[in-house]
Amino acid sequence: MYGFINTCLKSLVIEKFGEDTWDKLRNEAGVQDTFMTYEVYKDDITMKLVSEACKLLDVKADIVLRQFGEYFFEFCKRSGYDHMLRTLGGNLFDFIENLDALHGYLSLSYKEMNAPSFRVEKNKDGSMLLHYYSDRRGLCHIVPGIIGAVARDFFNSTITMEIVDHTEELERTAKKEHVVFLVTQRLALPERRGVDDAPMPTTQPPAETHHHRGATYLGKEKKHQTLCPFRRNHWEMVRGLVHLGKGKLLRGFEPVYPDQLFIDLKTFCSAFPFHIVFNEELEVRQAGVTIQRIVPGLQTMGIRLDHYFCIVHPGVPFTIPSICTFINSHFVLQTRRDMMPECWTDRPMLELRGQMLWMPSLQCMLYLASPLLRSLQELEERSMHLSDIAPHDATRDLILLNQQRLAEMELSSQLERKKEQLRLLSQHLEEERRKTEALLYAMLPKHVANQLKEGKRVEAGEFKECTILFSDVVTFTNICSECEPIQIVNMLNSMYLKFDRLTTVHNVYKVETIGDAYMVVGGVPIPASTHAEQVANFALGMVIAAKCVTNPITGQPIQIRVGLHSGPVLAGVVGEKMPRYCLFGDTVNTASRMESHGLPDKIHLSPTVYHVLRHKGFEMLERGEIEIKGKGRMRTYFLERNLTATESQIMGRRRSHRVTETNPALQRQWIDDCQTAVPMQYGESPAETQTPQNREAAPREKSLSGKTRDSESYGSLHSEGLSEDQSPAQAAEDKMTQSPSARVEPTEPARSATHRNKGPRTAFCTLL
């Protein structure tokens, strides 16, 4: 089918049920979204759409097809075929009788069109038998929708159609499906008569039948006059029956025939160059001059016509009774290749399109035809010229006009294809834009990235309160020295993917990663009163997530150190070629110290973080006073857990199971469940009042000691690391200055100077 059929079906679904229903329907059917008007598509696409529409709407196929038929008629009217359809006939019978002629005209432009065929018979009671022939099974229910819409719109009447016979005629016709409809028409009368509708008149004088049929549909006033002629006065009757100036009664008209035919045979055969006369035995008695030249065998009188031609349309056997059955249809005959001259071996076969007329006096059939040619190209392919066609034949004009129409259709088709290409390119461009923005927003805050895209300068901003987190992997230096680089990359990638997911759960901003170090901040770049709670829950999630990452050396879960500190920072964009959003200030240094002086699988808190979280439902343990490099002695704490949130909430999971080291099955299930992150809800900070629950969450006084290590340098983010002239021996001497209570025995190999020097060291942050 051509694309406008599927386009019409798409428009119907969108107009009745909306875009979402169409998207769901085409996805279920597995078809594309857009159809080209002049492109041919397989019938399976239409059948799939109809089938899925029945399932989606939970209705029968005949209802969907009938609705589609009604909408298809409106679609044709909107497409500009309204005037053409109105001229097919003055009543419904003539309209249906000329449908095949309309399809024959449209086939000139739509070369691949395979239209159905119609034949109508009139019954004595005024009803009609409509015969429908089609190669496509299951689409017969479209016909009642189309015919019903035509009757209402053009002829102001309503009809009922029921199927009285449904067969397959594989032998008699080339069309597979033959459906016979019983059509009963009722005319809608004017309201002033007090009748909503009445049956069509069934009894009329024989000489007036055609006149009444044409006059019945001219308008309400003329319908009233036709149905009730006795109400007209004498002069109205005279004016209706007499043609002024001629003096002859129109209703009594009878044609006058001459005593003999005043045209000689040569003139007739030249004036109608493509006509053929044959008898009941299909023997050729007469033929036009041009058809004799193209098919030389026709010059031999008495040959059988079916030896040289076959009937293409309406697809009936080549017999006189079959032809008489479809006598009102246009017949298309095609030459047989085996009977054509050798010069026609490589040429397309000639098709003739015309009318069959039965001559009772001669018991012969007259076939008045013209060559069925759609363009000048087809005329050239058959080595024919416009001069071969009679000057009075409109085929000349049709070829030239259709040539222009085909050129316009090709131009429209190209425009449609270009439009579809632009639409696809626009979708692809929009998809790439979203990917680019997603990548940009992953590197920079959204508002900062938008300002940079607009070419604006991003000024540095000061944040009064925020919470910064640092983390690193324990014994990362040993892992790097004993593993292949690809193993390190896989381990870090697995860990960072889990951490990145947690940033979405707790709405914290990932600043950067350097090697095994991971830095996030809460309250920047968007201030939040719950920044400490968000980062604390994020830290708890990090420790849990790290248990699902395997150490490539030991095969056991890795261990991480986490440190938190709250305070003011200065944030801004650094660089132009590869801009980065960086944090500056002593808060960054202190947070790094909390991480570097922490313990494996522990979340080390500074006093400022402890004071913010102590009444927020977190369980914290006091570590005691320890010596912090560059800060002196400081009382620090360990974050144990959140008493008011479940592990599933902290991890952003929908399930409530807990992941433990002793349950690898749950760990794998957790990994599978990581595809979706459920954000944790945070409200405004409550008043810091001591409640019973808060008292339960207060830290248990417990002095813990553990190994500390020197801080690591993270480039321009923080300073106070090893100076360039400081040796490892001096670093060891600094450790010995710690108080005995804060100093513990080493529990892991000391990190090398190479690992500590992760980036260039500067005192820029200290100056700020």
Side-chain angles (χ1 to χ4, degrees):
M1 292 185 180
Y2 275 90
F4 62 84
I5 297 293
N6 297 325
T7 302
C8 175
L9 186 57
K10 172 185 176 180
S11 301
L12 170 62
V13 175
I14 292 177
E15 184 175 312
K16 296 293 184 181
F17 305 101
E19 288 275 1
D20 295 338
T21 303
W22 165 251
D23 291 336
K24 185 177 180 180
L25 175 60
R26 71 178 183 85
N27 289 333
E28 292 292 334
V31 301
Q32 65 267 36
D33 181 35
T34 306
F35 301 95
M36 302 291 106
T37 303
Y38 302 107
E39 187 173 339
V40 180
Y41 297 89
K42 294 182 178 179
D43 293 347
D44 295 342
I45 296 178
T46 305
M47 301 308 298
K48 286 180 181 178
L49 288 173
V50 173
S51 177
E52 294 300 330
C54 295
K55 296 178 183 178
L56 184 63
L57 304 177
D58 193 22
V59 295
K60 295 181 179 179
D62 57 339
I63 299 178
V64 174
L65 292 174
R66 183 184 290 265
Q67 183 75 15
F68 171 70
E70 295 178 358
Y71 188 84
F72 180 71
F73 172 70
E74 296 296 330
F75 184 82
C76 291
K77 289 174 58 180
R78 298 174 190 173
S79 302
Y81 293 97
D82 184 19
H83 299 293
M84 180 187 297
L85 294 174
R86 289 183 183 274
T87 57
L88 287 185
N91 53 58
L92 189 61
F93 181 87
D94 292 343
F95 179 90
I96 300 175
E97 200 172 44
N98 286 280
L99 279 179
D100 279 6
L102 174 64
H103 290 151
Y105 166 75
L106 294 177
S107 65
L108 296 175
S109 301
Y110 300 93
K111 189 175 181 179
E112 302 294 331
M113 185 176 68
N114 184 15
S117 180
F118 297 90
R119 181 170 62 89
V120 63
E121 300 175 358
K122 222 171 194 182
N123 298 327
K124 294 181 179 180
D125 60 352
S127 61
M128 295 177 287
L129 291 178
L130 173 59
H131 296 261
Y132 165 82
Y133 304 89
S134 176
D135 292 338
R136 302 181 177 98
R137 301 181 183 180
L139 297 180
C140 62
H141 297 286
I142 297 179
V143 178
I146 297 177
I147 301 300
V150 169
R152 288 193 303 270
D153 192 284
F154 289 170
F155 309 119
N156 194 27
S157 60
T158 59
I159 63 170
T160 57
M161 295 183 64
E162 56 178 318
I163 298 177
V164 296
D165 191 16
H166 191 170
T167 59
E168 292 186 1
E169 300 187 357
L170 299 178
E171 297 180 359
R172 194 178 72 84
T173 68
K175 302 291 184 180
K176 295 182 178 61
E177 190 175 37
H178 177 201
V179 182
V180 181
F181 294 94
L182 176 61
V183 183
T184 304
Q185 185 179 12
R186 298 178 65 85
L187 180 66
L189 298 179
E191 295 181 359
R192 58 188 176 87
R193 307 179 106 193
V195 181
D196 293 332
D197 51 46
M200 292 290 294
T202 57
T203 58
Q204 296 177 350
E208 301 178 2
T209 302
H210 180 73
H211 179 80
H212 277 255
R213 190 173 63 193
T216 303
Y217 301 94
L218 294 180
K220 290 186 177 181
E221 190 63 31
K222 291 192 176 183
K223 283 185 290 186
H224 171 67
Q225 295 173 1
T226 304
L227 294 173
C228 303
F230 55 85
R231 293 191 179 185
R232 303 168 65 183
N233 58 38
H234 172 72
W235 292 109
E236 287 179 346
M237 290 287 292
V238 171
R239 283 195 294 268
L241 297 176
V242 178
H243 192 288
L244 297 179
K246 299 297 181 181
K248 293 183 179 180
L249 294 178
L250 294 179
R251 296 189 180 181
F253 169 76
E254 292 184 2
V256 176
Y257 300 100
D259 297 334
Q260 61 180 358
L261 187 62
F262 283 92
I263 184 172
D264 60 274
L265 296 177
K266 292 183 179 180
T267 304
F268 187 87
C269 292
S270 299
F272 301 96
F274 291 95
H275 83 279
I276 302 174
V277 178
F278 56 97
N279 60 15
E280 294 179 332
E281 288 75 26
L282 303 182
E283 296 177 350
V284 177
R285 296 300 185 184
Q286 182 178 315
V289 294
T290 305
I291 194 63
Q292 291 182 36
R293 179 175 59 82
I294 298 175
V295 188
L298 296 180
Q299 293 178 320
T300 304
M301 296 297 112
I303 65 169
R304 289 180 60 89
L305 185 63
D306 57 345
H307 290 173
Y308 288 85
F309 290 91
C310 62
I311 298 180
V312 177
H313 181 81
V316 296
F318 214 142
T319 61
I320 294 296
S322 299
I323 294 174
C324 291
T325 303
F326 289 82
I327 197 69
N328 293 324
S329 300
H330 284 81
F331 280 79
V332 177
L333 271 58
Q334 186 182 65
T335 56
R336 296 183 181 272
R337 185 173 294 276
D338 55 343
M339 301 301 293
M340 296 297 290
E342 294 183 359
C343 61
W344 279 73
T345 304
D346 299 329
R347 300 178 187 175
M349 291 295 96
L350 176 66
E351 291 184 348
L352 301 177
R353 179 175 178 271
Q355 178 185 9
M356 294 286 186
L357 295 174
W358 176 249
M359 298 180 291
S361 60
L362 300 177
Q363 291 295 299
C364 289
M365 186 74 71
L366 170 63
Y367 180 52
L368 284 175
S370 300
L372 181 58
L373 300 173
R374 300 176 178 85
S375 63
L376 295 175
Q377 180 182 356
E378 295 185 2
L379 190 70
E380 294 175 355
E381 290 174 350
R382 291 160 178 80
S383 297
M384 296 177 61
H385 305 85
L386 287 176
S387 59
D388 295 329
I389 305 173
H392 65 81
D393 196 338
T395 305
R396 286 186 171 193
D397 298 332
L398 285 177
I399 293 176
L400 296 176
L401 292 175
N402 196 58
Q403 178 71 25
Q404 180 181 0
R405 176 170 172 78
L406 289 176
E408 295 175 353
M409 289 175 57
E410 178 61 24
L411 181 60
S412 299
S413 180
Q414 292 179 6
L415 291 176
E416 279 190 340
R417 288 194 293 267
K418 291 295 183 183
K419 180 180 178 182
E420 179 65 12
Q421 291 176 2
L422 289 176
R423 187 184 69 84
L424 295 177
L425 288 176
S426 177
Q427 288 182 349
H428 181 69
L429 182 61
E430 180 65 21
E431 183 180 353
E432 293 300 324
R433 185 188 66 81
R434 287 195 296 266
K435 291 180 181 178
T436 303
E437 287 186 348
L439 181 61
L440 183 61
Y441 294 155
M443 299 173 59
L444 295 170
K446 187 173 182 179
H447 70 281
V448 173
N450 291 334
Q451 291 181 9
L452 292 177
K453 286 195 303 182
E454 297 173 0
K456 298 180 181 178
R457 182 188 178 99
V458 181
E459 301 291 341
E462 182 180 0
F463 294 83
K464 299 292 185 181
E465 295 181 0
C466 73
T467 301
I468 297 177
L469 176 148
F470 279 96
S471 73
D472 74 337
V473 179
V474 179
T475 68
F476 184 71
T477 304
N478 296 339
I479 296 175
C480 292
S481 62
E482 299 181 21
C483 292
E484 296 293 331
I486 188 62
Q487 293 178 296
I488 304 300
V489 172
N490 292 336
M491 181 192 74
L492 293 179
N493 186 59
S494 175
M495 179 178 68
Y496 288 159
L497 286 177
K498 294 175 174 57
F499 292 173
D500 291 345
R501 178 181 175 275
L502 289 173
T503 60
T504 304
V505 176
H506 301 287
N507 194 23
V508 295
Y509 179 69
K510 175 185 175 182
V511 181
E512 67 176 354
T513 58
I514 302 178
D516 64 325
Y518 195 91
M519 177 184 178
V520 300
V521 61
V524 176
I526 301 176
S529 60
T530 58
H531 56 85
E533 301 170 56
Q534 294 171 225
V535 177
N537 287 325
F538 176 81
L540 292 172
M542 292 178 71
V543 175
I544 298 174
K547 296 178 182 180
C548 297
V549 182
T550 304
N551 188 324
I553 298 178
T554 63
Q556 299 296 321
I558 63 172
Q559 293 180 311
I560 62 173
R561 271 187 293 261
V562 184
L564 278 70
H565 179 64
S566 297
V569 295
L570 184 69
V573 178
V574 177
E576 292 183 357
K577 188 173 183 180
M578 294 183 63
R580 298 301 304 271
Y581 189 74
C582 299
L583 306 181
F584 306 97
D586 188 61
T587 302
V588 179
N589 301 331
T590 305
S592 176
R593 294 294 184 273
M594 293 297 102
E595 175 265 323
S596 61
H597 290 71
L599 297 178
D601 289 336
K602 291 293 185 179
I603 303 172
H604 199 197
L605 306 180
S606 68
T608 55
V609 180
Y610 166 75
H611 286 293
V612 175
L613 296 179
R614 60 179 178 174
H615 300 309
K616 301 296 179 62
F618 291 91
E619 180 180 346
M620 294 172 286
L621 299 179
E622 183 178 351
R623 183 181 183 182
E625 289 189 358
I626 60 175
E627 185 71 22
I628 303 296
K629 182 173 174 49
K631 300 296 180 182
R633 299 189 65 80
M634 183 181 296
R635 185 179 298 275
T636 60
Y637 305 84
F638 286 130
L639 175 63
E640 292 294 319
R641 61 194 177 102
N642 188 334
L643 299 175
T644 61
T646 64
E647 184 176 301
S648 296
Q649 291 176 322
I650 293 175
M651 300 306 297
R653 300 194 303 263
R654 290 187 174 87
R655 298 167 186 167
S656 59
H657 61 264
R658 298 183 64 86
V659 179
T660 62
E661 296 183 64
T662 59
N663 196 338
L666 288 181
Q667 291 183 8
R668 288 191 298 270
Q669 188 177 11
W670 180 86
I671 294 174
D672 296 336
D673 198 36
C674 282
Q675 300 299 325
T676 57
V678 181
M680 191 170 178
Q681 300 298 324
Y682 291 92
E684 292 295 326
S685 300
E688 294 187 2
T689 56
Q690 188 88 5
T691 62
Q693 184 179 10
N694 292 337
R695 284 194 294 269
E696 292 178 2
R700 298 191 298 268
E701 296 295 326
K702 181 177 180 181
S703 177
L704 297 176
S705 63
K707 173 186 177 298
T708 62
R709 66 179 179 86
D710 292 334
S711 66
E712 302 171 356
S713 175
Y714 295 94
S716 63
L717 294 178
H718 53 84
S719 59
E720 293 294 326
L722 288 175
S723 63
E724 294 184 3
D725 57 350
Q726 185 180 20
S727 63
Q730 290 174 327
E733 184 178 354
D734 292 339
K735 290 184 180 181
M736 297 302 295
T737 61
Q738 297 176 2
S739 62
S741 61
R743 190 171 63 251
V744 298
E745 295 299 325
T747 59
E748 65 176 78
R751 294 197 172 191
S752 63
T754 303
H755 176 64
R756 289 195 299 267
N757 297 335
K758 290 185 176 179
R761 296 176 299 279
T762 178
F764 180 64
C765 296
T766 305
L767 294 177
L768 288 176

